[in-house]
Amino acid sequence: MSRLGFGKNNFSKVVPCTVELLNSAIDSAEVMNVCGQIARKLEAVKAGQATRTEFDDYKTAMKKHLPVLTPHAIFKNGERKNAEAIPSGLSMYDIDHIENPRGYYHTMIEDRISELGINMAHVTPSTEGLRLIFEMPAGMTLAQAQKWMSEQLGDENYDGSVKDYARCSYLVPRAYILYLDEEELLKEREVKAEAVKTGAQTPNEAMPSATATVLLPSPAILQDSPEHQRNLRIFDLAMKEAGLKPDDIDVVGVHNWHISLVAILTVGISRLMSQQAMMDVLATRMPNYSKEADCQRLVADFYDKYTKVNAPMPMSLRTLFKQAQQEQSAPKKLTSQQLGCLPPAMPEKMPKLIKLLCSKEPEHLHPAIALSAFPALGSHLYDVHFLYADNTYHEATFMHHTMAKTASGKSCVSRVCDCIMRDILERDEINRQREQDYKDECAKKGTNQQAPDRPDDLIVQTLLTDITPAALAQKGKDADGHFIYSQLDEIELFDQLDASKQKRRLRNIIQCAFDNAWYGQERVGEKSVTARFRLHYNFNSSSTIVRAQDFYAPFLADGSFNRMSFATIMPIDDEAIPKHGFYDARFMARLKVYIDRLVAAQGNYDLKKAQDLIQRIHQESIDTYRLSGDEAYFDTSHRAVVLAWLRAMVLYIAEGKWSKEIEEFAMWSFKYDMWVKMTYYGDSIRKQMAGEKVSSHRGPGNRLQYLPDEFTFDDAQRLLERLGSENTNPRKMLWTGETRKFIEQDPLTGIYHKTAYYFEVYPKPVA
């Protein structure tokens, strides 16, 4: 049950707020009318027709007619009394008397929604302020949360009185709302009573206070203790946050060690563990430096001078601590699972839009749905460009193929994409009828009569299955920069575009569509279509696996194939008839929120977090290449990185904020796409790259598979020489294997051992 209160006005009793109550209020004609009158009164003040005092009195009187939220709590008997408050875990923050609240939001807030924990942001009824409802940092009181938010925004003039549980927030019309996450806003949170009254301790407050006393590592560190393992993860996350790698902090020399450790400590992890625990971590991560007097002085200085245990903890540090607590000593998922026998599992926590789109179908269909949705989602964007890491702009171009055996459930793609495209399909029907009316009018004209001009706004984005080059050219020209979209249940229907076995025209279409390059056709016939335009073309296609392999055979080594994404449907050991849900009005209403954001988007997007994501996905491809030595994999992966990043950008616009779930989904989508490509086309790509043509089904290998369970550095080097690798130094391969928890090295003997985790991913064949 929601712990936000809702009241019909400032004087009524409060009941738990629901989605229905909230939406009914912000869509109410009365709310719109009241706020409209307040806005008009303000305009009168600006025009010199009313005084500021008159406006304030009028605003106060009119707000009495508005419904309210009590964001801080609900109340046992519905009476707004602090003594009867049941805290919500949320806080309300007001930024008053700013000239341009919307501009302030877009400049200061919009890109930090997730970081600041904001669930709702809206212009106040006066139109001169901004109100934020946000999740309180763990352990803070209302007053502390207010101060924390003021520090995050650099707002010295914040309203310190907003710390009363009974304080209400006047609701406004939907047009005033800048951001709203209903699910997060109304969810029930666990709020400890003692934290409400006194404020809970931060992770470091229960630890001994830092002093200048020099500490040495514990004589015997309990390497397997949960606390030490957690602290190691905290250190590793801070190292990553500082932009360092294990090789960077292991550079011999006190000066280099000192600089590396300063960079890591600056992240703030001294707040998360005691000084002794830090020395124990350094004994593991920087064993040589931890014995130096310089290291001991540096750590002691940080705890003595720079560690403020009672100050509010930054969101970034709380996130790091939470992530370290949640992770296990070995990763739950292989970061390069495409090397395994099964496709990578989807993330446990999905972006809200993907979760909604998959909600009506059986779980084994979710990967295919998740990737297939993007051609339809991207088709709603118009003149929206995303800046890639190489400083080139891309649009939301997605060309996707789902391949699976007959009767495996491929129709789930059509069910979901039809819902996504419903608004476009409805508009297309109107324009198709207009086009037919035009054709009928032309048919009525005699030979010598002037035919009417063809309407120039006949945008029809959805193509029927009967696709000809002329139809593609005409619809592409009519679309005027909008995406055209088609959904083909049988891939052979694409043969209509080009009957030649080499499919030259289709390859050209795929290449032009991916880059939104110029496309068209020149014809001399009076009634033939002549058109030149930038091609914006998204499509979904499907087939059996064998048909897909045959159809795409000419595409594998010329750059067309890797511009597409692929999915499959894994068979399940279940003879029961799968149940599909109903895509009812409630589903469509929830989907509409995301579609509306896509339609409303405009301009160029360049997000720092997205740029960081690109580099992580690119590093994933490099690590896989180092383990597999597979040139075909590496060449095919470049555009798969672009596609994964584009999925993240589309989700960012649709959901209204960046999130960890979006990042994890994008990484998974890259690994899944590459797993399908290399599993079903890998050897064919390799042979075509070598000038040969074969058919096979083997994905990228892991060169560790060719080594015994225990091996030496020299064994690995001889393996690379035997495999004919250009670089026979196995250092990168071994380092990557250790990073992925596949192998461990005995520090005394130098012998490498394959881990239990390795055998989970690559089980030994049963005799």
Side-chain angles (χ1 to χ4, degrees):
M1 181 180 68
S2 166
R3 290 190 177 181
L4 267 72
F6 175 89
K8 294 180 180 179
N9 53 55
N10 193 20
F11 306 101
S12 67
K13 282 196 171 186
V14 173
V15 298
C17 185
T18 64
V19 173
E20 291 75 19
L21 286 172
L22 178 63
N23 284 313
S24 176
I26 62 181
D27 291 328
S28 163
E30 183 180 1
V31 170
M32 182 178 294
N33 180 52
V34 169
C35 289
Q37 291 186 56
I38 295 174
R40 286 190 288 274
K41 192 69 172 180
L42 181 61
E43 290 300 318
V45 173
K46 295 178 179 179
Q49 299 169 355
T51 66
R52 173 59 67 168
T53 301
E54 290 173 338
F55 171 72
D56 290 339
D57 292 342
Y58 182 81
K59 176 182 66 175
T60 301
M62 293 301 294
K63 286 199 298 185
K64 295 177 182 179
H65 301 287
L66 292 174
V68 298
L69 289 180
T70 55
H72 298 154
I74 55 174
F75 304 89
K76 293 179 182 177
N77 297 310
E79 301 286 347
R80 287 167 45 204
K81 298 177 180 179
N82 284 328
E84 298 182 358
I86 303 174
S88 67
L90 297 174
S91 182
M92 175 171 61
Y93 190 85
D94 286 343
I95 308 167
D96 296 321
H97 306 298
I98 48 179
E99 185 175 349
N100 183 3
R102 293 178 184 272
Y104 183 96
Y105 169 80
H106 292 305
T107 302
M108 300 292 293
I109 307 292
E110 187 172 29
D111 287 341
R112 303 177 65 193
I113 289 289
S114 180
E115 173 192 347
L116 299 176
I118 292 171
N119 297 157
M120 186 177 188
H122 66 79
V123 176
T124 57
S126 70
T127 72
E128 294 184 303
L130 186 66
R131 174 158 292 164
L132 309 175
I133 298 177
F134 64 99
E135 186 165 354
M136 292 168 53
M140 288 190 185
T141 63
L142 285 174
Q144 290 170 337
Q146 289 285 302
K147 187 173 186 300
W148 174 81
M149 181 60 80
S150 72
E151 292 171 348
Q152 305 307 305
L153 299 178
D155 180 16
E156 298 178 356
N157 302 314
Y158 74 99
D159 184 358
S161 66
V162 186
K163 55 187 179 183
D164 188 343
Y165 284 110
R167 185 73 176 258
C168 71
S169 171
Y170 292 99
L171 282 169
V172 293
R174 192 174 293 276
Y176 284 39
I177 294 176
L178 303 173
Y179 178 78
L180 174 61
D181 187 330
E182 295 172 358
E183 184 177 337
E184 288 295 317
L185 181 71
L186 300 178
K187 78 176 184 182
E188 184 173 357
R189 295 169 173 82
E190 291 186 11
V191 183
K192 295 181 181 179
E194 62 270 21
V196 172
K197 294 177 181 177
T198 62
Q201 290 178 322
T202 59
N204 202 49
E205 288 172 348
M207 298 174 181
S209 60
T211 68
T213 304
V214 174
L215 298 176
L216 297 174
S218 300
I221 301 173
L222 298 177
Q223 298 286 356
D224 294 330
S225 72
E227 292 78 13
H228 183 64
Q229 292 299 319
R230 183 204 64 192
N231 291 338
L232 289 175
R233 294 196 294 275
I234 289 173
F235 185 88
D236 292 345
L237 290 168
M239 177 175 64
K240 184 178 180 181
E241 183 72 20
L244 300 173
K245 297 179 180 179
D247 286 350
D248 298 329
I249 68 170
D250 199 32
V251 178
V252 177
V254 171
H255 178 69
N256 294 322
W257 283 330
H258 183 100
I259 293 174
S260 297
L261 185 54
V262 167
I264 294 168
L265 291 174
T266 302
V267 174
I269 57 173
S270 57
R271 297 281 303 278
L272 304 180
M273 65 183 79
S274 68
Q275 185 176 344
Q276 181 63 66
M278 178 65 74
M279 292 306 302
D280 292 344
V281 167
L282 292 175
T284 302
R285 290 292 185 256
M286 303 178 75
N288 295 316
Y289 184 45
S290 67
K291 300 172 186 176
E292 297 283 342
D294 181 78
C295 175
Q296 297 151 19
R297 283 194 300 269
L298 173 59
V299 172
D301 284 346
F302 251 86
Y303 277 82
D304 185 43
K305 299 177 182 178
Y306 304 111
T307 304
K308 299 178 180 179
V309 296
N310 294 320
M313 189 175 292
M315 174 70 77
S316 58
L317 195 58
R318 288 190 288 116
T319 301
L320 184 148
F321 181 74
K322 181 179 179 181
Q323 185 177 350
Q325 283 184 307
Q326 291 176 342
E327 290 179 355
Q328 301 297 324
S329 56
K332 292 181 180 179
K333 299 183 181 71
L334 173 62
T335 51
S336 187
Q337 258 182 321
Q338 66 268 25
L339 294 176
C341 301
L342 295 174
M346 297 182 78
E348 292 179 7
K349 194 170 182 181
M350 303 290 288
K352 291 183 175 63
L353 174 54
I354 300 299
K355 185 178 178 181
L356 172 64
L357 295 175
C358 294
S359 63
K360 302 296 184 182
E361 301 292 340
E363 186 175 357
H364 72 287
L365 302 178
H366 290 182
I369 293 169
L371 265 67
S372 301
F374 284 91
L377 292 171
S379 296
H380 286 79
L381 293 171
Y382 171 66
D383 199 24
V384 174
H385 302 81
F386 307 107
L387 187 65
Y388 191 60
D390 60 0
N391 284 339
T392 61
Y393 280 98
H394 289 259
E395 295 186 57
T397 299
F398 299 98
M399 295 165 283
H400 179 79
H401 188 94
T402 301
M403 53 186 192
K405 68 177 185 178
T406 302
S408 59
K410 295 189 293 294
S411 59
C412 66
V413 173
S414 301
R415 287 192 290 273
V416 173
C417 290
D418 285 348
C419 292
I420 297 172
M421 295 296 293
R422 185 170 298 181
D423 62 320
I424 292 178
L425 286 164
E426 289 173 353
R427 188 185 64 238
D428 283 357
E429 284 304 308
I430 296 172
N431 283 340
R432 285 188 197 280
Q433 185 58 52
R434 292 177 59 216
E435 184 176 27
Q436 187 59 49
D437 292 343
Y438 159 75
K439 292 178 179 178
D440 292 343
E441 186 66 25
C442 289
K444 293 177 183 178
K445 298 293 183 182
T447 306
N448 298 323
Q449 291 180 298
Q450 178 69 37
D453 293 333
R454 190 174 190 275
D456 57 6
D457 60 346
L458 289 176
I459 299 176
V460 175
Q461 291 183 247
T462 52
L463 299 182
L464 303 178
T465 54
D466 186 6
I467 303 174
T468 64
L472 180 67
Q474 184 66 68
K475 299 306 181 188
K477 181 181 179 182
D478 289 343
D480 192 27
H482 291 81
F483 278 95
I484 51 177
Y485 171 84
S486 59
Q487 187 169 279
L488 302 176
D489 292 334
E490 295 298 335
I491 190 62
E492 289 83 357
L493 291 171
F494 265 141
D495 285 335
Q496 300 166 108
L497 292 173
D498 187 356
S500 71
K501 292 183 179 180
Q502 295 303 311
K503 302 180 177 66
R504 294 186 181 90
R505 184 188 295 274
L506 182 54
R507 283 189 286 183
N508 178 242
I509 289 172
I510 292 173
Q511 292 168 5
C512 288
F514 186 84
D515 300 318
N516 304 126
W518 288 103
Y519 179 82
Q521 65 177 26
E522 197 80 44
R523 296 291 184 268
V524 297
E526 182 180 341
K527 296 184 179 181
S528 299
V529 177
T530 296
R532 183 174 184 267
F533 55 94
R534 288 197 177 275
L535 183 59
H536 294 77
Y537 184 29
N538 286 355
F539 65 77
N540 272 306
S541 55
S542 61
S543 71
T544 62
I545 294 172
V546 174
R547 283 186 176 181
Q549 289 173 317
D550 291 342
F551 186 86
Y552 291 110
F555 296 71
L556 298 181
D558 67 357
S560 304
F561 174 81
N562 57 28
R563 286 172 162 87
M564 296 180 59
S565 61
F566 287 81
T568 189
I569 297 173
M570 301 300 291
I572 56 174
D573 296 327
D574 189 350
E575 297 179 357
I577 299 174
K579 279 194 173 183
H580 309 285
F582 295 100
Y583 294 88
D584 52 17
R586 177 175 173 79
F587 176 89
M588 294 304 301
R590 294 176 63 191
L591 178 59
K592 184 177 184 299
V593 176
Y594 301 105
I595 298 299
D596 286 349
R597 291 197 188 110
L598 293 173
V599 173
Q602 56 182 318
N604 299 335
Y605 287 79
D606 178 18
L607 199 63
K608 183 182 183 302
K609 291 181 179 179
Q611 296 296 328
D612 295 340
L613 175 64
I614 293 170
Q615 298 304 327
R616 289 200 298 276
I617 299 175
H618 178 60
Q619 186 62 49
E620 169 72 21
S621 70
I622 293 174
D623 288 348
T624 303
Y625 170 57
R626 287 175 178 170
L627 283 171
S628 66
D630 191 341
E631 295 283 351
Y633 172 91
F634 194 54
D635 288 348
T636 306
S637 71
H638 299 319
R639 290 191 176 95
V641 175
V642 177
L643 291 171
W645 159 74
L646 281 174
R647 293 184 197 105
M649 296 306 295
V650 170
L651 288 173
Y652 165 67
I653 292 177
E655 300 201 350
K657 66 176 181 179
W658 191 263
S659 67
K660 187 70 174 177
E661 290 77 21
I662 289 177
E663 293 182 0
E664 291 178 354
F665 175 82
M667 179 65 80
W668 167 82
S669 74
F670 165 77
K671 293 186 284 187
Y672 180 88
D673 180 28
M674 288 303 300
W675 183 90
V676 175
K677 287 174 178 173
M678 301 312 294
T679 297
Y680 295 103
Y681 298 96
D683 274 1
S684 294
I685 296 173
R686 298 180 191 102
K687 296 301 182 181
Q688 281 199 26
M689 289 174 63
E692 300 177 43
K693 184 178 179 181
V694 300
S695 176
S696 183
H697 303 274
R698 188 173 65 86
N702 183 338
R703 290 177 290 187
L704 296 176
Q705 292 176 303
Y706 300 109
L707 290 166
D709 295 351
E710 296 183 358
F711 61 91
T712 65
F713 183 94
D714 292 338
D715 292 334
Q717 188 171 32
R718 285 191 290 270
L719 169 67
L720 296 186
E721 292 172 352
R722 190 170 72 250
L723 294 176
S725 300
E726 294 182 7
N727 183 359
T728 57
N729 187 334
R731 183 178 63 83
K732 288 184 177 180
M733 180 185 74
L734 296 174
W735 180 85
T736 303
E738 289 183 283
T739 302
R740 299 305 178 91
K741 310 293 185 183
F742 285 162
I743 56 175
E744 294 175 346
Q745 185 182 30
D746 187 320
L748 298 178
T749 65
I751 294 175
Y752 290 91
H753 304 264
K754 293 181 180 177
T755 64
Y757 183 59
Y758 172 89
F759 291 112
E760 288 181 17
V761 181
Y762 302 100
K764 292 183 177 181
V766 179

